[in-house]
Amino acid sequence: DAGVIQSPRHEVTEMGQEVTLRCKPISGHDYLFWYRQTMMRGLELLIYFNNNVPIDDSGMPEDRFSAKMPNASFSTLKIQPSEPRDSAVYFCATAGQGVYEQFFGPGTRLTVL
Amino acid sequence: AQSVTQLGSHVSVSEGALVLLRCNYSSSVPPYLFWYVQYPNQGLQLLLKYTSAATLVKGINGFEAEFKKSETSFHLTKPSAHMSDAAEYFCAVTLYGNNRLAFGKGNQVVVIP
């Protein structure tokens, strides 16, 4: 298995632009998590899905952030409009039903100028 | 809510010396506990996990951790540090039946030759 795949690996954009981050989970995993990592705030859970349904989005910082999981093979995290304070590394992680270990992707490093 | 505490954001250790990273958890019910490692510019990778079986857990790269209920601790150790152990280490906790993980703030380990 290729593991969790995230794209792009790096994204540089200007303030106000829309940013879309993508994640392909490990086949058969029922849970998908989106995290944000910064020096100041550490690792934060933004939202997670179970069987493509959002379960808890309380970590999503603002309405500018949205996440979707249209099918078991794909999820997106969108920021519109982006702001410099959104600069961070965004991780996608997945887990199987009844298995509490999470498998992390390589992350997307986002820089908003 | 469940949580973990990791003290000392930066830990320096000499090559060949003992690596000891402390993790204390807060939980009203038996937890599942994890240690993850993050190498530069990579995602988090599972080192080891405790899921209510043996209290002494062995992981990859010579690391091990011991679950001590009386001390609510899950400290990570390695007898002899190697230069390749330089990374950030995260302790995490979840509850049975809950796939969310609560992460500590992490320990940045520096290995001194």
Side-chain angles (χ1 to χ4, degrees):
Chain A
D1 199 321
V4 177
I5 299 173
Q6 290 187 249
S7 63
R9 292 294 311 276
H10 301 272
E11 176 81 29
V12 180
T13 189
E14 293 189 346
M15 182 174 62
Q17 297 297 306
E18 178 179 295
V19 175
T20 299
L21 311 181
R22 297 173 176 80
C23 175
K24 177 178 171 55
I26 293 173
S27 177
H29 279 192
D30 300 315
Y31 287 86
L32 185 141
F33 305 81
W34 282 102
Y35 292 90
R36 178 173 68 176
Q37 185 178 38
T38 62
M39 290 291 290
M40 291 296 294
R41 301 172 70 94
L43 196 62
E44 304 173 274
L45 176 66
L46 300 177
I47 185 172
Y48 79 98
F49 296 82
N50 182 21
N51 292 322
N52 313 334
V53 176
I55 302 301
D56 187 345
D57 65 355
S58 60
M60 297 286 262
E62 305 171 31
D63 291 345
R64 297 185 297 106
F65 286 69
S66 62
K68 294 182 180 180
M69 193 164 185
N71 57 61
S73 301
F74 185 64
S75 177
T76 60
L77 178 67
K78 185 175 295 186
I79 308 172
Q80 166 62 19
S82 59
E83 297 183 3
R85 58 191 168 129
D86 301 331
S87 298
V89 181
Y90 291 82
F91 289 104
C92 175
T94 69
Q97 183 69 36
V99 177
Y100 303 97
E101 173 186 349
Q102 292 183 16
F103 293 81
F104 282 74
T108 295
R109 182 174 296 276
L110 173 65
T111 302
V112 183
L113 302 175
Chain B
Q2 68 272 34
S3 65
V4 293
T5 302
Q6 293 180 250
L7 297 179
S9 60
H10 285 76
V11 176
S12 293
V13 59
S14 297
E15 189 176 16
L18 172 71
V19 179
L20 170 60
L21 302 179
R22 300 179 187 274
C23 174
N24 288 89
Y25 68 90
S26 173
S27 174
S28 58
V29 297
Y32 288 2
L33 293 155
F34 305 81
W35 275 99
Y36 282 83
V37 60
Q38 184 180 26
Y39 298 105
N41 300 313
Q42 296 187 26
L44 278 70
Q45 176 184 354
L46 183 72
L47 265 181
L48 48 80
K49 60 184 176 183
Y50 167 76
T51 55
S52 76
T55 56
L56 182 62
V57 181
K58 295 185 183 299
I60 62 172
N61 301 337
F63 285 92
E64 64 180 36
E66 186 172 9
F67 173 72
K68 292 186 176 180
K69 183 178 178 181
S70 61
E71 299 177 7
T72 61
S73 68
F74 190 57
H75 302 332
L76 181 70
T77 61
K78 181 175 180 177
S80 177
H82 191 272
M83 296 300 293
S84 60
D85 295 327
E88 189 156 20
Y89 293 79
F90 295 90
C91 183
V93 65
T94 191
L95 292 178
Y96 178 78
N98 183 338
N99 276 70
R100 293 189 60 166
L101 290 178
F103 285 90
K105 293 189 179 300
N107 292 123
Q108 184 68 50
V109 172
V110 175
V111 182
I112 303 168

